[in-house]
């Protein structure tokens, strides 16, 4: 009885969910604060919204990877997944940079874009290294 | 004489087509669907949070469900029920230089337009005030029972509901920028009403 537990049971994916949730939320908030502190002309919630929308390509990549993982494992499997993730990652970066970089003065664009790159890179890494 | 004749034959508007409007004015709750949904999402979020042990054993499922219910509640209270039930609304506008302004509006009550009914206003404000208080109680209970993984959810709940409460209080206060004056006038009003009942 004690081991069966309740909603606090051990193997329901709780820690992984919490990890993804916290990374995305704190990552987005940090990027927004960084952008604002660099003197960017964008509102807090607008920036959070843009970063959220630009995760969509990576979500598609996650779905595709999950489907590809149903097939036979091997190097081809990995290369397909790698290609898909890289494409979607590039799309996310281009989409969010188009919005976020414009709100900065020209000499600071790279400083504002670098955390976005890092954020989406971490998410892409989590997607690529996911094994069911 | 001629003037009187002309006056007699002038058009007199007969109120035949306005039965719907009369029924609308007399009803105690004019927007039953909005009232229902105003309370439904808030209460089901609280019920799901409290009863998650009985519904399912998955932490993730419960977390996501409560978060979705809280988001639906935030959207519907901010965009629909406040406007329909008490005639208040608030939003954020970004003008061309990128500066954002928060705008709070209250519907002006004139003889032509319809004021909010008392039942709807009471349901609206009670629902708006009681639920954040319940979430604050959950916050302390989660903190002291050390079930810290629920803390993120409780904090999200408190912020979403308190945001709506704060927005609507600012709408209600309208031009008054001093909260203590508004609170004092509200308290004196309530005391007067209780004494005169």
């Amino acid at each position: 009885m004690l081991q069966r537990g309740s909603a606090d049971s051990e193997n329901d994916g709780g820690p992984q969910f919490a990890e993804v949730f916290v990374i995305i939320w704190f990552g987005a908030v940090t990027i927004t604060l960084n952008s604002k502190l660099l003197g960017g002309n964008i509102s807090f919630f607008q920036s959070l919204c843009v970063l959220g929308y630009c995760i969509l390509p990576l979500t598609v990549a996650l779905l595709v990877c999950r489907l590809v993982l149903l097939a036979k494992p091997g190097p081809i499997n990995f290369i397909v997944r790698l290609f898909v993730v890289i494409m979607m990652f590039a799309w996310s970066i281009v989409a969010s940079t188009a919005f976020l970089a414009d709100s900065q003065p020209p000499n600071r664009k790279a400083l504002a874009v670098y955390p976005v790159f890092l954020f989406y890179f971490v998410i892409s890494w989590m997607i690529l290294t996911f094994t069911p | 004489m001629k003037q009187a004749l002309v006056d007699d034959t002038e058009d007199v508007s007969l109120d035949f087509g306005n039965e719907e409007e009369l029924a609308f004015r007399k009803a105690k709750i004019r927007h039953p669907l909005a009232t229902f949904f105003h309370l439904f999402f808030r209460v089901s979020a609280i019920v799901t949070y409290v009863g998650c042990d009985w519904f399912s054993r998955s932490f993730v499922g419960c977390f996501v469900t409560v978060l979705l219910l809280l988001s639906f509640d935030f959207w519907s209270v901010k965009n629909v029920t406040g406007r329909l039930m008490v005639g208040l609304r608030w939003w954020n506008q970004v003008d061309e230089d990128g500066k954002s302004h928060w705008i709070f509006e209250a519907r002006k009550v004139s003889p032509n337009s319809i004021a909010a009914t008392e039942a709807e206003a009471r349901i609206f404000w009670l629902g708006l005030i009681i639920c954040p208080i319940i979430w604050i109680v959950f916050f302390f209970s989660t903190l002291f029972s050390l079930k810290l993984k629920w803390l993120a959810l409780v904090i999200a709940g408190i912020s979403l509901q308190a945001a709506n409460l704060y927005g609507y209080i600012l709408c209600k206060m309208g031009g008054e920028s001093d909260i203590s004056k508004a609170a004092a006038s509200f308290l004196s009003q309530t005391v007067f009403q209780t004494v005169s009942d």
Side-chain angles (χ1 to χ4, degrees):
Chain A
M1 274 285 274
L2 284 173
Q3 279 173 348
R4 247 183 291 151
S6 58
D8 292 341
S9 77
E10 298 287 332
N11 42 2
D12 58 356
Q16 289 85 348
F17 174 77
E19 173 194 348
V20 173
F21 192 81
V22 163
I23 283 182
I24 290 185
W25 263 105
F26 278 132
V29 168
T30 308
I31 293 177
T32 309
L33 285 178
N34 174 66
S35 175
K36 286 194 80 80
L37 286 173
L38 282 177
N41 194 15
I42 192 171
S43 101
F44 182 75
F45 291 115
Q46 262 183 335
S47 169
L48 284 181
C49 279
V50 166
L51 289 168
Y53 288 139
C54 293
I55 286 188
L56 178 68
L58 286 169
T59 313
V60 171
L62 175 67
L63 286 172
V64 171
C65 282
R66 187 66 191 88
L67 291 174
V68 169
L69 277 170
L70 290 173
K72 193 176 54 167
I76 301 181
N77 198 307
F78 178 74
I79 289 179
V80 168
R81 282 187 292 134
L82 182 68
F83 179 70
V84 167
V85 168
I86 288 181
M87 284 293 109
M88 296 301 173
F89 168 65
W91 184 1
S92 285
I93 293 282
V94 166
S96 56
T97 317
F99 197 72
L100 288 175
D102 278 344
S103 64
Q104 298 282 349
N107 54 340
R108 291 214 178 131
K109 283 198 202 295
L111 274 177
V113 167
Y114 171 69
V116 179
F117 179 87
L118 210 54
F119 176 63
Y120 288 126
F121 181 76
V122 166
I123 297 181
S124 313
W125 185 260
M126 285 198 297
I127 292 176
L128 193 57
T129 58
F130 169 72
T131 46
Chain B
M1 255 328 245
K2 259 215 162 158
Q3 191 62 34
L5 278 174
V6 168
D7 283 339
D8 270 348
T9 55
E10 260 183 57
D11 281 327
V12 176
S13 65
L14 296 169
D15 265 343
F16 279 149
N18 279 348
E19 280 175 18
E20 269 183 32
E21 205 186 306
L22 281 177
F24 186 74
R25 277 175 193 264
K26 272 199 240 162
K28 281 182 86 176
I29 294 187
R30 290 191 190 123
H31 305 101
L33 213 57
T35 314
F36 170 71
F37 277 112
H38 174 76
L39 293 176
F40 173 69
F41 288 130
R42 321 199 127 213
V43 171
S44 36
I46 291 179
V47 164
T48 312
Y49 176 75
V50 169
C52 62
D53 281 354
W54 302 320
F55 292 149
S56 108
R57 297 157 92 218
S58 149
F59 166 70
V60 174
C62 183
F63 189 97
V64 170
T65 309
V66 176
L67 202 58
L68 282 178
L69 284 170
L70 287 169
S71 314
F72 291 159
D73 161 70
F74 179 80
W75 184 89
S76 55
V77 171
K78 180 179 177 304
N79 289 307
V80 179
T81 65
R83 188 173 36 96
L84 289 180
M85 287 168 80
V86 285
L88 302 170
R89 63 182 178 182
W90 57 284
W91 73 94
N92 176 284
Q93 244 173 10
V94 181
D95 59 11
E96 279 154 18
D97 351 327
K99 278 213 312 234
S100 75
H101 303 276
W102 290 96
I103 304 187
F104 304 92
E105 280 185 2
R107 183 165 61 200
K108 293 194 188 27
V109 182
S110 66
N112 291 336
S113 84
I114 307 169
T117 56
E118 208 186 298
E120 277 186 347
R122 202 177 301 148
I123 294 178
F124 180 80
W125 288 106
L126 278 180
L128 207 62
I129 293 179
I130 291 184
C131 290
I133 294 181
I134 295 183
W135 281 103
I136 293 181
V137 169
F138 286 157
F139 175 75
F140 286 115
S141 81
T142 316
L143 205 57
F144 292 139
S145 66
L146 294 178
K147 290 197 286 183
L148 294 176
K149 64 180 178 178
W150 295 106
L151 211 57
L153 188 60
V154 177
I155 290 179
I158 292 180
S159 13
L160 286 173
Q161 312 230 321
N164 255 331
L165 179 62
Y166 183 63
Y168 279 117
I169 288 183
L170 286 183
C171 287
K172 189 83 179 159
M173 285 182 351
E176 282 186 63
S177 47
D178 195 1
I179 296 191
S180 55
K181 255 193 284 179
S185 71
F186 175 71
L187 274 172
S188 61
Q189 231 178 21
T190 332
V191 167
F192 182 68
Q193 267 179 3
T194 332
V195 164
S196 63
D197 270 342

